[in-house]
Amino acid sequence: MTQDAVVADDTRVPARGTPRALDVAAFAVLGLSAGLTVLIGLLGPSVMVPELAGPAWQPPYSLGARPDAHLVIGMAAAAILLGGVGLFGALRARWRPDPRLLAGLGCAVVALLAFLPPSGSADHLNYAAYGRLVTLGHNPYETAPSALPADPVLGAVEEWRGVTSVYGPVATAVQALASLVGGESVRLTVFVMALVNALAFAGTALLLDRFTRGDADLRARAALLWAANPLMIYHLGAGTHVDTLAVACMVAALVARGAASGVLLGVGIGVKLNAGLVALGPAWELRRRPGRLAVVAGTATVTVLAIYAVAGPHVLDQVGAASRKVSLGTPWQLVKTGLQAAFGPGAYSAWTQVGSLALLVLLAWLLLRAAPEHSAPGVAVAVVVAWLFAATYALPWYDGLAFALLAMVAWPALEGFLIARVVILSLGYLPAREALRPDDMLWLRTVVRQQVVPWSLLALTVALAWWAARSATRARRRSTSAAPRP
């Protein structure tokens, strides 16, 4: 049987013949990666899994085995590497399981992870603290968790105790709801947030499946890029990051039409401000329909203004501060180090911000020229990918938005770049909890995160720009040769 079979309605479907050994191996590796992620949480508190205070009978649950730091970091590294290899192989397999099965299994794993303690970082402790501040009558955009260190939830924050919230008011509302349910229990508060996260993940999978239903190949790729993606399961499923909620809103906005699309765009921006880059997709698609564009843009603007007005004047304080930061894992860390050596501390900020914006514009332009389609998802994924590669501050779970958008577009050539990027960046954050890393593994920070990862991402960024430029040139030549001659 050929790679693709054609049915009566001319819908392409993956071949259903006997799978090759490589195909079976790719999907087996996907499962192994997800299994390691589950095992990390199941083993309980470790360097990868923060301990959650609260009654032991409350979820989430674990075995409480307290595994050795070296073992659990090795398991996480294996989960990431196997996830990248397995995903790359599965996307190029000649045979694939039913997309509904893939999506169902992926969502089932994320649902299971909701009942296990989150792993990978301690961000969920920050979320719980900001929600707790709201329930105690404080504004998390003005008051940091360190203001009330005796509180059992606020006192559990690890590395960001003195920092006010950087998340949007919608995210804060979800965190406050979780705090209302959890009270003084960190465990129960985190569990409620994990349930919301799992629902958002599954909702996104359902929307992607419905959106791609007319093209069986795209439908299978969508299941692999999102629901069955072990890298997304590792970061968004096990990590319980608020980015999952922003992704769900933005995918829903691209599926919806008219005022509903605008409201969903506004809500997504209310979760995380940078998710607003997705709005450029509908704006481009509707540029020749000013009436529809006005409806979407107007409802989105009103929704954003209303959401952020409720949060008060300090809601964007940390967003502004974060925009000037440079994370250790990005190539801009190399630029920052060089500028500091030449001009002293603090001299890098303006240069890196201008350079990042220039690189964003360049990459977005190149990717838009190379894009196979200029639909709303096609434009959105080009801009978001450009932002991820150009940003001065980036963490691996930010890539979830790009994977979800790419699942809506037939653009296989871009998949390898995204997979490579998230694998490289993920290896730089093992673990993301700095204070608990064993002394004999300091090289994970000084060598891997500060040297190997930035240089590798720099090479990958150059390769992306080169590939996009070549792809755009080839596409232009094909269109020129196909044009009718006078």
Side-chain angles (χ1 to χ4, degrees):
M1 184 176 287
T2 59
Q3 180 173 344
D4 295 297
V6 180
V7 294
D9 62 355
D10 199 34
T11 299
R12 296 172 63 236
V13 297
R16 289 286 182 259
T18 303
R20 301 176 303 168
L22 285 176
D23 300 339
V24 174
F27 286 97
V29 169
L30 286 182
L32 180 57
S33 173
L36 285 170
T37 298
V38 170
L39 184 57
I40 290 170
L42 181 62
L43 290 175
S46 68
V47 68
M48 295 293 298
V49 180
E51 188 160 5
L52 303 177
W57 59 267
Q58 292 179 341
Y61 308 109
S62 73
L63 297 176
R66 300 186 178 276
D68 176 72
H70 301 80
L71 171 63
V72 78
I73 289 174
M75 290 169 60
I80 292 166
L81 291 170
L82 290 173
V85 172
L87 180 59
F88 188 83
L91 286 166
R92 280 146 186 80
R94 295 182 183 178
W95 173 92
R96 299 187 189 119
D98 189 311
R100 293 170 296 182
L101 176 62
L102 287 172
L105 289 174
C107 291
V109 172
V110 172
L112 172 61
L113 286 167
F115 288 84
L116 303 176
S119 60
S121 77
D123 280 6
H124 52 283
L125 299 179
N126 302 337
Y127 304 159
Y130 296 137
R132 177 69 171 168
L133 283 169
V134 174
T135 61
L136 292 176
H138 297 276
N139 187 335
Y141 300 108
E142 298 181 60
T143 305
S146 59
L148 292 89
D151 184 87
V153 178
L154 298 173
V157 176
E158 293 186 352
E159 295 179 284
W160 301 97
R161 294 184 180 182
V163 180
T164 54
S165 179
V166 72
Y167 307 105
V170 174
T172 301
V174 173
Q175 293 157 7
L177 174 62
S179 183
L180 282 173
V181 177
E184 294 186 351
S185 172
V186 179
R187 293 174 71 100
L188 192 54
T189 302
V190 168
F191 175 65
V192 174
M193 292 190 295
L195 287 181
V196 174
N197 181 78
L199 289 172
F201 190 95
T204 302
L206 179 60
L207 287 170
L208 292 174
D209 184 72
R210 292 180 65 86
F211 182 83
T212 58
R213 188 165 295 178
D215 186 328
D217 183 66
L218 184 59
R219 190 180 187 186
R221 303 187 85 85
L224 286 168
L225 287 168
W226 180 256
N229 183 341
L231 300 172
M232 294 301 97
I233 290 173
Y234 177 91
H235 285 299
L236 299 183
T240 319
H241 290 285
V242 72
D243 301 69
T244 313
L245 185 57
V247 171
C249 292
M250 289 310 181
V251 170
L254 294 177
V255 173
R257 293 291 181 268
S261 177
V263 170
L264 288 165
L265 285 171
V267 173
I269 295 171
V271 178
K272 288 194 76 172
L273 196 64
N274 50 27
L277 291 169
V278 175
L280 296 175
W284 176 268
E285 188 175 64
L286 298 175
R287 69 192 185 282
R288 294 190 177 91
R289 300 175 181 177
R292 295 185 181 182
L293 177 59
V295 169
V296 174
T299 53
T301 301
V302 170
T303 302
V304 170
L305 291 176
I307 288 173
Y308 278 85
V310 172
H314 297 283
V315 65
L316 297 178
D317 286 358
Q318 279 302 318
V319 174
S323 67
R324 295 187 292 274
K325 293 181 180 178
V326 176
S327 56
L328 293 180
T330 68
W332 293 105
Q333 173 63 27
L334 306 174
V335 178
K336 172 184 173 180
T337 301
L339 290 173
Q340 285 183 324
F343 304 107
Y348 66 88
S349 182
W351 288 101
T352 53
Q353 285 182 296
V354 171
S356 174
L357 180 60
L359 181 58
L360 168 60
V361 172
L362 173 63
L363 289 177
W365 177 67
L366 291 173
L367 287 169
L368 286 170
R369 292 176 68 230
E373 59 181 76
H374 288 119
S375 61
V379 172
V381 72
V383 174
V384 168
V385 169
W387 165 68
L388 288 171
F389 276 84
T392 60
Y393 192 92
L395 296 168
W397 41 91
Y398 293 5
D399 291 37
L401 182 58
F403 274 100
L405 296 173
L406 188 58
M408 306 176 78
V409 182
W411 201 352
L414 187 58
E415 296 164 354
F417 286 99
L418 268 184
I419 294 170
R421 175 190 148 79
V422 74
V423 167
I424 292 170
L425 195 54
S426 299
L427 292 175
Y429 286 87
L430 290 177
R433 302 170 69 204
E434 292 289 336
L436 298 182
R437 182 190 297 108
D439 292 339
D440 62 347
M441 299 191 79
L442 182 62
W443 57 272
L444 287 173
R445 174 188 172 97
T446 58
V447 177
V448 177
R449 189 184 302 182
Q450 294 183 228
Q451 297 295 328
V452 176
V453 171
W455 282 108
S456 298
L457 289 181
L458 176 60
L460 189 65
T461 303
V462 172
L464 175 67
W466 177 82
W467 165 80
R470 296 255 309 187
S471 297
T473 301
R474 288 195 297 266
R476 188 169 62 252
R477 288 174 180 172
R478 286 195 298 269
S479 61
T480 302
S481 62
R485 297 183 178 181

